[in-house]
Every structure is written in C-alpha cells, then in structure tokens.
Coordinates of all heavy atoms in Angstrom, one line a residue:
Q1 N 24.0 3.3 -10.8 CA 24.8 2.5 -11.5 C 25.3 1.3 -10.7 O 25.2 1.2 -9.4 CB 26.2 3.2 -11.7 CG 25.9 4.4 -12.8 CD 27.3 5.0 -13.2 OE1 28.1 4.4 -13.8 NE2 27.4 6.3 -12.8
A2 N 25.9 0.2 -11.3 CA 26.2 -1.0 -10.7 C 27.3 -0.7 -9.6 O 28.2 0.2 -9.9 CB 26.8 -2.0 -11.6
G3 N 27.3 -1.3 -8.4 CA 28.1 -0.9 -7.4 C 27.6 0.2 -6.4 O 28.2 0.4 -5.4
G4 N 26.5 0.9 -6.9 CA 26.0 2.0 -6.1 C 25.1 1.4 -5.1 O 24.9 0.2 -4.8
S5 N 24.5 2.5 -4.5 CA 23.6 2.1 -3.2 C 22.2 2.8 -3.4 O 22.2 4.0 -3.9 CB 24.2 2.5 -1.9 OG 25.4 1.7 -1.6
L6 N 21.2 2.3 -2.8 CA 19.9 2.9 -2.7 C 19.3 2.5 -1.3 O 19.6 1.3 -0.8 CB 19.0 2.6 -3.8 CG 19.1 3.2 -5.2 CD1 18.2 2.5 -6.2 CD2 18.8 4.7 -5.1
R7 N 18.5 3.3 -0.8 CA 17.8 3.0 0.4 C 16.3 3.1 0.1 O 15.7 4.2 -0.1 CB 18.1 3.9 1.6 CG 17.5 3.5 2.9 CD 18.1 4.4 4.2 NE 17.6 4.0 5.3 CZ 17.9 3.1 6.2 NH1 19.0 2.4 5.7 NH2 17.3 2.9 7.2
L8 N 15.6 2.0 0.3 CA 14.1 2.0 0.2 C 13.5 2.2 1.5 O 13.9 1.6 2.4 CB 13.6 0.7 -0.6 CG 14.3 0.3 -1.9 CD1 13.6 -1.0 -2.5 CD2 14.1 1.5 -2.9
S9 N 12.4 2.8 1.5 CA 11.5 3.1 2.7 C 10.1 2.6 2.4 O 9.6 2.9 1.3 CB 11.7 4.5 3.2 OG 12.9 4.8 3.7
C10 N 9.4 2.2 3.4 CA 8.0 1.9 3.2 C 7.3 2.3 4.6 O 7.5 2.0 5.7 CB 7.8 0.3 3.2 SG 6.1 -0.3 3.2
A11 N 6.3 3.1 4.3 CA 5.6 3.8 5.4 C 4.2 3.2 5.5 O 3.5 3.1 4.5 CB 5.4 5.3 5.2
A12 N 3.8 2.7 6.6 CA 2.5 2.1 6.9 C 1.6 3.1 7.5 O 1.9 3.8 8.4 CB 2.6 0.9 7.8
S13 N 0.3 3.2 7.1 CA -0.7 4.0 7.6 C -2.0 3.3 7.7 O -2.1 2.2 7.2 CB -0.8 5.4 6.8 OG -1.2 5.0 5.5
G14 N -2.9 4.0 8.3 CA -4.3 3.3 8.6 C -4.2 2.6 9.9 O -3.7 3.0 10.9
N15 N -4.8 1.3 9.9 CA -5.0 0.7 11.1 C -3.7 -0.2 11.3 O -3.6 -1.4 10.7 CB -6.1 -0.3 11.0 CG -6.4 -1.0 12.4 OD1 -5.8 -0.7 13.4 ND2 -7.4 -1.7 12.5
T16 N -2.6 0.4 11.8 CA -1.3 -0.3 12.0 C -1.2 -0.9 13.3 O 0.0 -1.5 13.6 CB -0.3 0.8 11.8 OG1 -0.3 1.8 12.7 CG2 -0.3 1.3 10.4
F17 N -2.1 -1.1 14.2 CA -2.0 -1.7 15.5 C -1.7 -3.2 15.4 O -2.3 -3.9 14.5 CB -3.4 -1.7 16.2 CG -3.4 -2.1 17.5 CD1 -2.7 -1.8 18.6 CD2 -4.1 -3.3 17.8 CE1 -2.7 -2.3 19.9 CE2 -4.1 -4.0 19.1 CZ -3.4 -3.4 20.0
R18 N -0.7 -3.4 16.0 CA -0.1 -4.8 16.2 C 0.2 -5.5 14.8 O 0.0 -6.6 14.4 CB -1.2 -5.8 16.9 CG -1.5 -5.4 18.3 CD -0.2 -5.6 19.1 NE 0.3 -6.9 19.2 CZ 0.0 -7.9 20.1 NH1 -1.0 -7.6 20.9 NH2 0.3 -9.1 20.0
T19 N 1.0 -4.8 14.0 CA 1.5 -5.2 12.8 C 2.8 -6.1 13.3 O 3.5 -5.7 14.4 CB 2.1 -4.2 12.0 OG1 2.9 -3.3 12.6 CG2 0.9 -3.4 11.3
Y20 N 3.0 -7.1 12.7 CA 4.2 -8.0 13.2 C 5.3 -8.1 12.1 O 6.0 -6.9 12.0 CB 3.6 -9.5 13.3 CG 2.6 -9.5 14.3 CD1 1.2 -9.4 14.2 CD2 3.0 -9.8 15.6 CE1 0.3 -9.4 15.2 CE2 2.1 -9.8 16.7 CZ 0.9 -9.6 16.5 OH -0.1 -9.8 17.5
N21 N 5.5 -9.1 11.4 CA 6.6 -9.1 10.4 C 6.5 -8.1 9.3 O 5.2 -7.9 8.9 CB 7.0 -10.5 10.0 CG 5.8 -11.1 9.2 OD1 4.7 -11.3 9.8 ND2 6.0 -11.3 7.9
M22 N 7.5 -7.6 9.0 CA 7.4 -6.7 7.7 C 8.7 -7.0 6.7 O 9.6 -7.8 7.2 CB 7.5 -5.2 7.9 CG 6.3 -4.7 8.9 SD 6.5 -2.9 9.2 CE 6.0 -2.2 7.6
G23 N 8.5 -6.6 5.5 CA 9.6 -7.1 4.6 C 9.5 -6.7 3.2 O 8.7 -5.8 2.9
W24 N 10.3 -7.3 2.5 CA 10.3 -6.9 1.0 C 10.5 -8.1 0.0 O 11.0 -9.1 0.3 CB 11.5 -6.0 0.7 CG 11.6 -4.8 1.4 CD1 12.2 -4.5 2.7 CD2 11.2 -3.5 1.1 NE1 12.0 -3.3 3.0 CE2 11.3 -2.6 2.1 CE3 10.5 -3.1 -0.2 CZ2 11.0 -1.2 2.0 CZ3 10.2 -1.7 -0.3 CH2 10.5 -0.8 0.7
F25 N 9.6 -8.0 -1.0 CA 9.7 -8.8 -2.2 C 10.0 -8.0 -3.4 O 10.0 -6.8 -3.3 CB 8.4 -9.6 -2.4 CG 8.1 -10.9 -1.6 CD1 7.9 -10.7 -0.2 CD2 8.0 -12.0 -2.1 CE1 7.7 -11.8 0.5 CE2 7.8 -13.2 -1.5 CZ 7.6 -13.1 -0.2
R26 N 10.5 -8.7 -4.4 CA 10.8 -8.0 -5.6 C 10.3 -8.8 -6.9 O 10.3 -10.0 -6.8 CB 12.3 -7.7 -5.8 CG 13.1 -8.8 -6.1 CD 14.6 -8.3 -6.0 NE 15.5 -9.4 -6.1 CZ 16.9 -9.3 -6.1 NH1 17.4 -8.2 -5.9 NH2 17.6 -10.4 -6.4
Q27 N 10.1 -8.1 -7.9 CA 9.7 -8.9 -9.2 C 10.7 -8.3 -10.3 O 10.5 -7.2 -10.7 CB 8.3 -8.6 -9.5 CG 7.8 -9.5 -10.6 CD 6.3 -9.7 -10.7 OE1 5.5 -8.9 -10.1 NE2 5.8 -10.6 -11.5
R28 N 11.5 -9.2 -10.7 CA 12.5 -8.8 -11.8 C 11.6 -9.0 -13.2 O 10.8 -9.8 -13.3 CB 13.7 -9.7 -11.7 CG 14.5 -9.5 -10.4 CD 15.2 -10.7 -10.1 NE 16.4 -10.8 -11.0 CZ 17.2 -11.9 -10.9 NH1 17.0 -12.9 -10.0 NH2 18.2 -12.1 -11.7
P29 N 12.1 -8.3 -14.2 CA 11.5 -8.3 -15.5 C 11.4 -9.8 -16.0 O 12.4 -10.5 -16.2 CB 12.4 -7.5 -16.4 CG 13.1 -6.6 -15.5 CD 13.2 -7.3 -14.2
G30 N 10.2 -10.1 -16.3 CA 9.9 -11.5 -16.9 C 10.0 -12.6 -15.9 O 9.9 -13.9 -16.4
K31 N 10.0 -12.3 -14.5 CA 10.1 -13.3 -13.6 C 9.0 -13.2 -12.5 O 8.4 -12.1 -12.3 CB 11.6 -13.4 -12.9 CG 12.6 -13.7 -13.9 CD 14.0 -13.6 -13.2 CE 15.1 -14.0 -14.2 NZ 16.5 -14.1 -13.5
E32 N 8.9 -14.3 -11.8 CA 7.9 -14.3 -10.7 C 8.4 -13.4 -9.5 O 9.7 -13.2 -9.4 CB 7.5 -15.6 -10.2 CG 8.7 -16.4 -9.7 CD 9.6 -17.0 -10.7 OE1 9.4 -16.8 -11.9 OE2 10.7 -17.6 -10.3
R33 N 7.5 -13.0 -8.7 CA 7.9 -12.3 -7.5 C 8.6 -13.2 -6.5 O 8.3 -14.4 -6.3 CB 6.6 -11.8 -6.8 CG 6.8 -10.8 -5.6 CD 5.6 -10.1 -5.1 NE 4.9 -9.5 -6.1 CZ 3.8 -8.7 -5.8 NH1 3.3 -8.6 -4.6 NH2 3.2 -8.0 -6.8
E34 N 9.7 -12.5 -6.0 CA 10.6 -13.3 -5.0 C 10.9 -12.6 -3.8 O 10.9 -11.4 -3.8 CB 11.9 -13.6 -5.8 CG 12.8 -12.3 -6.1 CD 14.0 -12.7 -6.8 OE1 14.9 -13.4 -6.2 OE2 14.2 -12.3 -7.9
F35 N 11.0 -13.4 -2.8 CA 11.3 -13.0 -1.4 C 12.7 -12.3 -1.4 O 13.7 -12.7 -2.0 CB 11.2 -14.1 -0.4 CG 11.8 -13.7 0.9 CD1 11.1 -13.0 1.8 CD2 13.1 -14.1 1.4 CE1 11.5 -12.8 3.2 CE2 13.6 -13.8 2.6 CZ 12.7 -13.0 3.4
V36 N 12.8 -11.2 -0.6 CA 14.1 -10.5 -0.4 C 14.5 -10.4 1.1 O 15.6 -10.9 1.3 CB 14.0 -9.1 -0.9 CG1 15.2 -8.2 -0.6 CG2 13.7 -9.0 -2.5
A37 N 13.7 -10.0 1.8 CA 14.1 -9.8 3.3 C 12.9 -9.7 4.2 O 11.8 -9.2 3.8 CB 15.0 -8.8 3.5
T38 N 13.0 -10.1 5.4 CA 11.8 -9.9 6.4 C 12.4 -9.5 7.8 O 13.6 -9.9 8.1 CB 11.0 -11.2 6.4 OG1 9.8 -10.8 7.4 CG2 11.8 -12.3 7.1
I39 N 11.6 -8.9 8.5 CA 12.1 -8.4 9.9 C 11.0 -8.7 10.9 O 9.8 -8.5 10.6 CB 12.7 -7.1 9.9 CG1 13.2 -6.6 11.2 CG2 11.4 -6.1 9.4 CD1 13.9 -5.3 11.2
S40 N 11.3 -9.1 12.1 CA 10.4 -9.4 13.1 C 9.8 -8.1 13.7 O 10.4 -7.0 13.6 CB 11.0 -10.3 14.3 OG 12.0 -9.6 14.9
R41 N 8.7 -8.4 14.5 CA 8.1 -7.2 15.2 C 9.0 -6.3 16.0 O 9.1 -5.0 15.8 CB 7.0 -7.8 16.1 CG 6.3 -6.7 17.0 CD 5.6 -5.6 16.3 NE 4.9 -4.7 17.1 CZ 4.3 -3.5 16.7 NH1 4.4 -3.2 15.5 NH2 3.8 -2.7 17.7
G42 N 9.9 -7.0 16.8 CA 10.8 -6.2 17.5 C 12.0 -5.6 16.8 O 12.8 -4.9 17.4
G43 N 12.3 -6.1 15.6 CA 13.3 -5.6 14.8 C 14.6 -6.3 15.1 O 15.6 -5.8 14.5
T44 N 14.7 -7.3 15.9 CA 16.1 -7.9 16.2 C 16.3 -9.1 15.4 O 17.4 -9.6 15.2 CB 16.0 -8.2 17.7 OG1 14.9 -9.1 18.1 CG2 15.9 -7.0 18.6
N45 N 15.2 -9.8 14.8 CA 15.5 -11.0 14.0 C 15.2 -10.6 12.5 O 14.1 -10.1 12.1 CB 14.5 -12.1 14.4 CG 14.8 -12.6 15.9 OD1 15.8 -12.7 16.2 ND2 13.6 -12.9 16.6
T46 N 16.1 -10.9 11.7 CA 16.0 -10.5 10.2 C 16.4 -11.8 9.5 O 17.1 -12.7 9.9 CB 16.8 -9.4 9.9 OG1 18.2 -9.7 10.1 CG2 16.5 -8.1 10.6
F47 N 16.0 -11.8 8.3 CA 16.4 -12.9 7.2 C 16.3 -12.3 5.9 O 15.5 -11.7 5.5 CB 15.3 -14.1 7.4 CG 15.7 -15.2 6.5 CD1 16.8 -16.1 7.0 CD2 15.2 -15.4 5.3 CE1 17.1 -17.1 6.1 CE2 15.5 -16.5 4.4 CZ 16.4 -17.4 4.9

C-alpha cells in the first residue's frame, strides 16, 4: 500500500570478479526505462 516499504535484493552469480558499479533501473507501465540509483564498487558513493 502507499506509504509502505519494500526491500529489493539482487544477487550476482557466475563470473563476478571485479564488478564495479551496481544499481537499479525501473520501467513504469507505458513508459521507458528510467534510472533509479547506483552505487560504487566500495559502496561509499551513491546517487
């Protein structure tokens, strides 16, 4: 419901050596995919 919370998780597998930035995009109904958030390799820089 509106006002509530969810926590999304993403697990990487396979050849994960030296992965750098990770993040999220989303695609709303009838719209193009849009940027949501990104995080640096060390996890200290986010946008």
Side-chain angles (χ1 to χ4, degrees):
Q1 294 187 62
S5 298
L6 284 174
R7 185 176 180 87
L8 305 183
S9 294
C10 173
S13 62
N15 191 359
T16 59
F17 179 71
R18 296 297 296 273
T19 54
Y20 293 94
N21 60 300
M22 300 184 73
W24 298 88
F25 277 65
R26 69 184 182 186
Q27 189 161 16
R28 297 154 69 185
K31 299 183 178 180
E32 64 277 0
R33 190 174 297 187
E34 64 181 299
F35 170 79
V36 176
T38 189
I39 187 167
S40 63
R41 169 65 177 172
T44 57
N45 295 323
T46 62
F47 183 79

